[in-house]
Amino acid sequence: MKIEFSLDEKKEGEKVSRFIFSPLPEGLGHTLGNPLRRLLLTAVKGRAITKIRVKGATHQFDTLKGVKEDLVEIILNFKKVRFSGEAKKPVKVKFSKKGPGEVRAGDLEAPAALEVVNKDLVLAHLSDEKTVFSGEITVEEGWGYSPAEPRRSTTKGEIAIDAVFTPILKVNYSVEPLPAGFGEEKLEMEITTDGTVAPREALKECASLLIASLNQIITPNHNHREEKKTPALPFLKTSVVELNLPTRTINALEKAGFKKVSDLVKAKPEDLAGVRNLGQKSIEAIREILKAQGVDWS
């Protein structure tokens, strides 16, 4: 069976496009629409702020003299900043603005590899010329949603925040029969992005990912899972002190005899459940760090 169809794009602004797949054999509309929608919402890489440090603040519930917003509101505003470009490694971005007036996303001193897309986004309001709002943020690449807990910092004043990496804001699709075609239908898909990626590029990326996934059925890669489970030898020799974990967690691990990563890999999560001062959140944080290095810790 040979399947051929046309793909037309109707742009409804810089961030929104409607794609029409037609004509499709009956039943193929949902077959294509559902997996493409799921991949668009979860598998497109984006960039987001993962940590923030504001001069004069020691924790996320602080207030700053001369700044209208408290730190909780400021953090919520920073979460809305969108970046295009590359951040293969965590990128430090500084900011410094003297009042009075507004602090905008365009005031961030982004390096050449990164660009702030929504420069007019207001981050804070400064009341007078004596107020200086300064600090540093960390920008990283990722997929989907990432909670702050695994990235909790031991650096004084540096606050880990939840990050929404996905650049796709909304995906809707519908399937309708073609009036003139017997047993044929059309798929309409509307994609809304945050402006850091074009809707068509995001669609092409997810189509390629879907093809690559289905090719695993034709040519299975049996060794893939085993290779990912084997961490690099230098990582196994790493001291737990060097892991991005709270000081209390590190102290609890060392007192229980877990000095190196290799000690954690040999153990199981349930072996750590009885360790004093080590709760479930800490165990989950350890699991995320090991997972990032290819260790299936279960």
Side-chain angles (χ1 to χ4, degrees):
M1 180 180 180
K2 188 176 182 181
I3 300 174
E4 293 182 345
F5 58 86
S6 63
L7 176 60
D8 297 322
E9 178 182 8
K10 294 185 178 181
K11 293 186 177 181
E12 300 178 1
E14 295 182 2
K15 303 177 183 179
V16 185
S17 284
R18 186 159 53 93
F19 298 92
I20 302 173
F21 304 66
S22 177
L24 297 174
E26 188 175 15
L28 189 60
H30 288 291
T31 303
L32 290 176
N34 191 43
L36 283 174
R37 178 180 181 275
R38 288 177 176 271
L39 287 173
L40 280 162
L41 292 173
T42 60
V44 181
K45 183 188 292 185
R47 288 141 294 278
I49 298 172
T50 56
K51 295 176 183 177
I52 181 172
R53 181 174 58 82
V54 179
K55 187 176 181 180
T58 57
H59 56 79
Q60 63 183 15
F61 301 109
D62 254 337
T63 56
L64 301 169
K65 186 177 180 181
V67 182
K68 177 183 176 182
E69 297 82 359
D70 59 25
L71 201 57
V72 170
E73 189 174 353
I74 290 171
I75 289 173
L76 290 174
N77 292 336
F78 267 93
K79 285 183 181 181
K80 299 174 186 175
V81 182
R82 308 311 298 170
F83 298 88
S84 61
E86 290 189 357
K88 293 181 179 179
K89 294 182 178 180
V91 178
K92 300 290 186 180
V93 178
K94 295 183 178 181
F95 58 89
S96 182
K97 184 71 179 287
K98 186 177 181 180
E102 297 176 336
V103 181
R104 296 178 179 267
D107 295 319
L108 296 173
E109 301 169 15
L114 282 178
E115 181 183 356
V116 179
V117 174
N118 50 346
K119 292 182 171 62
D120 292 332
L121 175 68
V122 177
L123 303 174
H125 294 82
L126 311 182
S127 62
D128 53 62
E129 61 183 11
K130 295 181 181 180
T131 303
V132 178
F133 183 76
S134 62
E136 185 180 70
I137 59 173
T138 302
V139 180
E140 298 183 52
E141 287 186 349
W143 293 265
Y145 167 79
S146 174
E149 184 64 30
R151 296 189 303 274
R152 193 169 294 278
S153 176
T154 56
T155 302
K156 185 178 179 180
E158 188 174 55
I159 303 166
I161 63 176
D162 298 340
V164 179
F165 292 106
T166 178
I168 309 300
L169 302 182
K170 185 170 63 175
V171 181
N172 294 321
Y173 82 89
S174 61
V175 179
E176 297 178 3
L178 291 176
F182 178 76
E184 291 183 329
E185 61 190 21
K186 69 174 180 178
L187 164 66
E188 291 194 17
M189 178 170 285
E190 185 180 83
I191 302 173
T192 305
T193 78
D194 63 4
T196 62
V197 62
R200 190 176 188 90
E201 291 304 311
L203 181 62
K204 287 170 62 177
E205 180 180 339
C206 290
S208 297
L209 182 58
L210 184 58
I211 292 169
S213 300
L214 293 174
N215 275 336
Q216 297 294 314
I217 300 173
I218 301 170
T219 310
N221 186 353
H222 297 294
N223 296 324
H224 179 67
R225 181 172 295 180
E226 291 181 7
E227 290 173 0
K228 287 198 71 176
K229 285 184 179 180
T230 305
L233 187 59
F235 177 65
L236 289 175
K237 294 181 179 180
T238 302
S239 169
V240 294
V241 176
E242 298 179 46
L243 299 179
N244 188 20
L245 291 168
T247 304
R248 182 178 179 182
T249 301
I250 292 172
N251 291 338
L253 288 172
E254 289 189 318
K255 286 180 181 179
F258 298 98
K259 303 291 186 180
K260 296 183 178 180
V261 173
S262 57
D263 299 326
L264 291 173
V265 173
K266 292 175 185 177
K268 293 183 179 180
E270 52 264 33
D271 295 333
L272 272 64
V275 175
R276 189 176 180 181
N277 294 329
L278 201 66
Q280 187 59 37
K281 285 187 177 181
S282 299
I283 294 175
E284 288 302 318
I286 295 169
R287 190 196 304 276
E288 288 298 321
I289 291 173
L290 295 181
K291 183 180 178 181
Q293 295 293 330
V295 183
D296 185 7
W297 193 53
S298 57

Short mmCIF file of all heavy atoms in Angstrom, two decimals, residues 97-141:
data_model
loop_
_atom_site.label_atom_id
_atom_site.label_comp_id
_atom_site.label_asym_id
_atom_site.label_seq_id
_atom_site.Cartn_x
_atom_site.Cartn_y
_atom_site.Cartn_z
N LYS A 97 20.66 46.21 36.92
CA LYS A 97 19.86 47.36 36.48
C LYS A 97 19.66 48.31 37.66
O LYS A 97 19.31 47.89 38.76
CB LYS A 97 18.49 46.87 35.96
CG LYS A 97 17.62 47.98 35.38
CD LYS A 97 18.15 48.49 34.06
CE LYS A 97 17.25 49.59 33.48
NZ LYS A 97 15.98 49.06 32.96
N LYS A 98 19.90 49.62 37.37
CA LYS A 98 19.73 50.65 38.40
C LYS A 98 18.40 51.34 38.21
O LYS A 98 17.98 51.61 37.08
CB LYS A 98 20.88 51.65 38.31
CG LYS A 98 20.88 52.69 39.42
CD LYS A 98 22.09 53.61 39.29
CE LYS A 98 22.11 54.64 40.41
NZ LYS A 98 23.27 55.55 40.31
N GLY A 99 17.70 51.60 39.31
CA GLY A 99 16.40 52.23 39.26
C GLY A 99 16.48 53.73 39.07
O GLY A 99 17.57 54.31 39.01
N PRO A 100 15.33 54.42 39.01
CA PRO A 100 14.00 53.80 39.05
C PRO A 100 13.60 53.26 37.68
O PRO A 100 14.24 53.57 36.68
CB PRO A 100 13.12 54.99 39.45
CG PRO A 100 13.81 56.17 38.84
CD PRO A 100 15.28 55.90 38.97
N GLY A 101 12.53 52.46 37.66
CA GLY A 101 12.02 51.95 36.40
C GLY A 101 11.83 50.46 36.41
O GLY A 101 11.85 49.80 37.46
N GLU A 102 11.64 49.91 35.21
CA GLU A 102 11.36 48.49 35.05
C GLU A 102 12.63 47.71 34.71
O GLU A 102 13.53 48.23 34.04
CB GLU A 102 10.34 48.27 33.94
CG GLU A 102 8.98 48.87 34.22
CD GLU A 102 8.04 48.72 33.04
OE1 GLU A 102 8.53 48.58 31.90
OE2 GLU A 102 6.81 48.73 33.25
N VAL A 103 12.68 46.49 35.18
CA VAL A 103 13.72 45.55 34.75
C VAL A 103 13.05 44.61 33.76
O VAL A 103 12.04 43.97 34.07
CB VAL A 103 14.29 44.74 35.94
CG1 VAL A 103 15.37 43.79 35.45
CG2 VAL A 103 14.83 45.66 37.01
N ARG A 104 13.59 44.54 32.56
CA ARG A 104 13.01 43.71 31.51
C ARG A 104 13.94 42.56 31.13
O ARG A 104 15.15 42.60 31.43
CB ARG A 104 12.67 44.54 30.27
CG ARG A 104 11.60 45.61 30.52
CD ARG A 104 11.34 46.45 29.28
NE ARG A 104 10.30 47.44 29.52
CZ ARG A 104 9.02 47.25 29.25
NH1 ARG A 104 8.63 46.08 28.70
NH2 ARG A 104 8.13 48.18 29.49
N ALA A 105 13.39 41.57 30.46
CA ALA A 105 14.20 40.42 30.04
C ALA A 105 15.33 40.85 29.11
O ALA A 105 16.39 40.22 29.08
CB ALA A 105 13.30 39.38 29.36
N GLY A 106 15.12 41.94 28.38
CA GLY A 106 16.16 42.44 27.49
C GLY A 106 17.37 42.98 28.23
O GLY A 106 18.42 43.20 27.62
N ASP A 107 17.24 43.20 29.54
CA ASP A 107 18.37 43.67 30.35
C ASP A 107 19.33 42.55 30.73
O ASP A 107 20.40 42.82 31.29
CB ASP A 107 17.86 44.36 31.62
CG ASP A 107 17.07 45.63 31.32
OD1 ASP A 107 17.50 46.38 30.43
OD2 ASP A 107 16.02 45.84 31.95
N LEU A 108 18.95 41.30 30.48
CA LEU A 108 19.84 40.18 30.77
C LEU A 108 21.03 40.22 29.83
O LEU A 108 20.88 40.42 28.62
CB LEU A 108 19.09 38.85 30.60
CG LEU A 108 17.92 38.61 31.56
CD1 LEU A 108 17.16 37.35 31.16
CD2 LEU A 108 18.40 38.50 32.98
N GLU A 109 22.22 40.01 30.38
CA GLU A 109 23.46 40.09 29.59
C GLU A 109 23.78 38.73 28.98
O GLU A 109 24.76 38.06 29.36
CB GLU A 109 24.60 40.59 30.48
CG GLU A 109 24.33 41.96 31.09
CD GLU A 109 25.32 42.34 32.18
OE1 GLU A 109 26.38 41.67 32.27
OE2 GLU A 109 25.05 43.28 32.94
N ALA A 110 22.97 38.32 28.02
CA ALA A 110 23.11 36.99 27.41
C ALA A 110 24.34 36.94 26.51
O ALA A 110 24.63 37.91 25.80
CB ALA A 110 21.86 36.65 26.61
N PRO A 111 25.08 35.82 26.52
CA PRO A 111 26.24 35.68 25.63
C PRO A 111 25.80 35.50 24.18
O PRO A 111 24.60 35.38 23.89
CB PRO A 111 26.92 34.40 26.16
CG PRO A 111 25.81 33.62 26.77
CD PRO A 111 24.86 34.62 27.35
N ALA A 112 26.77 35.47 23.28
CA ALA A 112 26.46 35.41 21.85
C ALA A 112 25.69 34.16 21.46
O ALA A 112 24.89 34.17 20.52
CB ALA A 112 27.76 35.49 21.04
N ALA A 113 25.90 33.06 22.19
CA ALA A 113 25.26 31.79 21.83
C ALA A 113 23.77 31.77 22.18
O ALA A 113 23.03 30.93 21.68
CB ALA A 113 25.96 30.63 22.54
N LEU A 114 23.34 32.69 23.03
CA LEU A 114 21.95 32.73 23.47
C LEU A 114 21.32 34.07 23.09
O LEU A 114 22.00 35.09 23.03
CB LEU A 114 21.84 32.56 24.98
CG LEU A 114 21.97 31.15 25.57
CD1 LEU A 114 21.88 31.24 27.08
CD2 LEU A 114 20.91 30.23 25.03
N GLU A 115 20.01 34.03 22.87
CA GLU A 115 19.27 35.26 22.60
C GLU A 115 17.95 35.23 23.35
O GLU A 115 17.23 34.24 23.32
CB GLU A 115 18.99 35.43 21.11
CG GLU A 115 18.25 36.72 20.79
CD GLU A 115 17.92 36.87 19.32
OE1 GLU A 115 18.34 36.00 18.52
OE2 GLU A 115 17.22 37.84 18.96
N VAL A 116 17.66 36.32 24.05
CA VAL A 116 16.37 36.44 24.73
C VAL A 116 15.32 36.79 23.69
O VAL A 116 15.45 37.79 22.98
CB VAL A 116 16.43 37.53 25.83
CG1 VAL A 116 15.07 37.66 26.50
CG2 VAL A 116 17.49 37.19 26.86
N VAL A 117 14.27 35.98 23.61
CA VAL A 117 13.24 36.17 22.59
C VAL A 117 12.23 37.23 23.02
O VAL A 117 11.89 38.14 22.26
CB VAL A 117 12.53 34.84 22.28
CG1 VAL A 117 11.36 35.06 21.33
CG2 VAL A 117 13.52 33.85 21.67
N ASN A 118 11.74 37.11 24.25
CA ASN A 118 10.72 38.06 24.74
C ASN A 118 11.36 39.16 25.58
O ASN A 118 11.20 39.23 26.79
CB ASN A 118 9.63 37.32 25.51
CG ASN A 118 10.19 36.38 26.58
OD1 ASN A 118 11.37 36.05 26.60
ND2 ASN A 118 9.32 35.95 27.48
N LYS A 119 12.10 40.04 24.90
CA LYS A 119 12.88 41.09 25.58
C LYS A 119 12.02 42.07 26.36
O LYS A 119 12.48 42.70 27.31
CB LYS A 119 13.73 41.85 24.55
CG LYS A 119 14.84 41.04 23.92
CD LYS A 119 15.65 41.89 22.96
CE LYS A 119 16.92 41.20 22.47
NZ LYS A 119 16.64 39.98 21.72
N ASP A 120 10.76 42.25 25.99
CA ASP A 120 9.90 43.24 26.65
C ASP A 120 9.24 42.71 27.92
O ASP A 120 8.52 43.45 28.59
CB ASP A 120 8.82 43.72 25.68
CG ASP A 120 9.39 44.54 24.53
OD1 ASP A 120 10.45 45.18 24.74
OD2 ASP A 120 8.81 44.54 23.43
N LEU A 121 9.47 41.45 28.26
CA LEU A 121 8.88 40.89 29.46
C LEU A 121 9.39 41.62 30.70
O LEU A 121 10.60 41.73 30.91
CB LEU A 121 9.24 39.40 29.57
CG LEU A 121 8.80 38.68 30.85
CD1 LEU A 121 7.28 38.57 30.92
CD2 LEU A 121 9.45 37.30 30.94
N VAL A 122 8.48 42.11 31.54
CA VAL A 122 8.85 42.84 32.75
C VAL A 122 9.14 41.85 33.88
O VAL A 122 8.31 41.01 34.20
CB VAL A 122 7.74 43.82 33.18
CG1 VAL A 122 8.12 44.53 34.48
CG2 VAL A 122 7.48 44.84 32.08
N LEU A 123 10.31 41.99 34.49
CA LEU A 123 10.73 41.09 35.56
C LEU A 123 10.54 41.70 36.95
O LEU A 123 10.22 40.99 37.90
CB LEU A 123 12.21 40.71 35.37
CG LEU A 123 12.57 40.06 34.03
CD1 LEU A 123 14.08 39.87 33.93
CD2 LEU A 123 11.85 38.73 33.87
N ALA A 124 10.74 43.01 37.06
CA ALA A 124 10.61 43.68 38.36
C ALA A 124 10.50 45.18 38.16
O ALA A 124 10.80 45.70 37.08
CB ALA A 124 11.82 43.35 39.24
N HIS A 125 10.04 45.86 39.21
CA HIS A 125 9.94 47.33 39.21
C HIS A 125 10.81 47.88 40.33
O HIS A 125 10.69 47.45 41.48
CB HIS A 125 8.49 47.78 39.42
CG HIS A 125 7.57 47.40 38.29
ND1 HIS A 125 7.00 46.15 38.17
CD2 HIS A 125 7.15 48.12 37.22
CE1 HIS A 125 6.24 46.11 37.09
NE2 HIS A 125 6.31 47.29 36.49
N LEU A 126 11.67 48.84 39.98
CA LEU A 126 12.57 49.46 40.95
C LEU A 126 12.05 50.85 41.30
O LEU A 126 11.69 51.64 40.41
CB LEU A 126 14.00 49.54 40.38
CG LEU A 126 14.55 48.24 39.78
CD1 LEU A 126 15.98 48.45 39.30
CD2 LEU A 126 14.46 47.10 40.77
N SER A 127 12.04 51.17 42.58
CA SER A 127 11.36 52.38 43.04
C SER A 127 12.18 53.67 42.96
O SER A 127 11.64 54.74 42.75
CB SER A 127 10.88 52.18 44.49
OG SER A 127 12.00 51.95 45.34
N ASP A 128 13.52 53.57 43.13
CA ASP A 128 14.31 54.81 43.17
C ASP A 128 15.71 54.56 42.62
O ASP A 128 16.11 53.43 42.35
CB ASP A 128 14.41 55.34 44.60
CG ASP A 128 14.91 54.29 45.59
OD1 ASP A 128 16.05 53.83 45.41
OD2 ASP A 128 14.15 53.92 46.51
N GLU A 129 16.47 55.64 42.48
CA GLU A 129 17.81 55.56 41.88
C GLU A 129 18.84 54.90 42.79
O GLU A 129 19.94 54.56 42.35
CB GLU A 129 18.28 56.94 41.47
CG GLU A 129 18.41 57.92 42.64
CD GLU A 129 18.81 59.31 42.20
OE1 GLU A 129 18.79 59.56 40.99
OE2 GLU A 129 19.16 60.12 43.07
N LYS A 130 18.51 54.72 44.05
CA LYS A 130 19.43 54.05 44.97
C LYS A 130 19.35 52.53 44.85
O LYS A 130 20.23 51.82 45.34
CB LYS A 130 19.11 54.45 46.41
CG LYS A 130 19.36 55.92 46.71
CD LYS A 130 19.03 56.24 48.17
CE LYS A 130 19.25 57.70 48.49
NZ LYS A 130 18.93 58.01 49.91
N THR A 131 18.31 52.04 44.22
CA THR A 131 18.09 50.59 44.11
C THR A 131 18.84 50.02 42.91
O THR A 131 18.69 50.50 41.79
CB THR A 131 16.59 50.27 43.97
OG1 THR A 131 15.89 50.83 45.08
CG2 THR A 131 16.38 48.77 43.92
N VAL A 132 19.64 49.01 43.17
CA VAL A 132 20.34 48.28 42.10
C VAL A 132 19.90 46.82 42.17
O VAL A 132 20.09 46.16 43.20
CB VAL A 132 21.87 48.38 42.23
CG1 VAL A 132 22.54 47.56 41.13
CG2 VAL A 132 22.32 49.84 42.15
N PHE A 133 19.33 46.34 41.10
CA PHE A 133 18.84 44.96 41.03
C PHE A 133 19.83 44.16 40.18
O PHE A 133 19.98 44.38 38.99
CB PHE A 133 17.45 44.95 40.38
CG PHE A 133 16.81 43.59 40.31
CD1 PHE A 133 16.26 42.99 41.43
CD2 PHE A 133 16.74 42.91 39.10
CE1 PHE A 133 15.66 41.75 41.36
CE2 PHE A 133 16.14 41.67 39.01
CZ PHE A 133 15.60 41.09 40.14
N SER A 134 20.56 43.26 40.83
CA SER A 134 21.61 42.52 40.11
C SER A 134 21.66 41.07 40.59
O SER A 134 21.14 40.72 41.65
CB SER A 134 22.97 43.18 40.32
OG SER A 134 23.32 43.18 41.70
N GLY A 135 22.31 40.25 39.79
CA GLY A 135 22.45 38.84 40.13
C GLY A 135 22.86 38.02 38.93
O GLY A 135 23.47 38.54 37.98
N GLU A 136 22.50 36.75 38.97
CA GLU A 136 22.94 35.81 37.94
C GLU A 136 21.93 34.68 37.81
O GLU A 136 21.36 34.22 38.80
CB GLU A 136 24.31 35.27 38.31
CG GLU A 136 24.95 34.36 37.28
CD GLU A 136 26.32 33.87 37.74
OE1 GLU A 136 26.35 33.05 38.68
OE2 GLU A 136 27.33 34.32 37.18
N ILE A 137 21.69 34.25 36.59
CA ILE A 137 20.82 33.10 36.34
C ILE A 137 21.61 32.02 35.60
O ILE A 137 22.64 32.31 34.98
CB ILE A 137 19.57 33.48 35.52
CG1 ILE A 137 20.00 34.08 34.16
CG2 ILE A 137 18.67 34.42 36.29
CD1 ILE A 137 18.85 34.33 33.22
N THR A 138 21.13 30.79 35.69
CA THR A 138 21.72 29.68 34.94
C THR A 138 20.69 29.19 33.92
O THR A 138 19.54 28.92 34.26
CB THR A 138 22.09 28.51 35.88
OG1 THR A 138 23.00 28.98 36.87
CG2 THR A 138 22.74 27.37 35.10
N VAL A 139 21.12 29.11 32.67
CA VAL A 139 20.25 28.65 31.58
C VAL A 139 20.76 27.30 31.09
O VAL A 139 21.96 27.12 30.86
CB VAL A 139 20.23 29.67 30.41
CG1 VAL A 139 19.33 29.18 29.29
CG2 VAL A 139 19.79 31.03 30.91
N GLU A 140 19.84 26.35 30.92
CA GLU A 140 20.20 25.02 30.46
C GLU A 140 19.24 24.56 29.37
O GLU A 140 18.14 25.11 29.21
CB GLU A 140 20.17 24.01 31.61
CG GLU A 140 21.15 24.31 32.73
CD GLU A 140 21.13 23.25 33.81
OE1 GLU A 140 21.25 22.05 33.48
OE2 GLU A 140 20.97 23.61 35.00
N GLU A 141 19.66 23.54 28.62
CA GLU A 141 18.81 22.91 27.62
C GLU A 141 18.14 21.68 28.22
O GLU A 141 18.71 21.03 29.10
CB GLU A 141 19.61 22.50 26.38
CG GLU A 141 20.03 23.66 25.52
CD GLU A 141 20.70 23.20 24.23
OE1 GLU A 141 21.01 21.99 24.12
OE2 GLU A 141 20.93 24.04 23.34
#
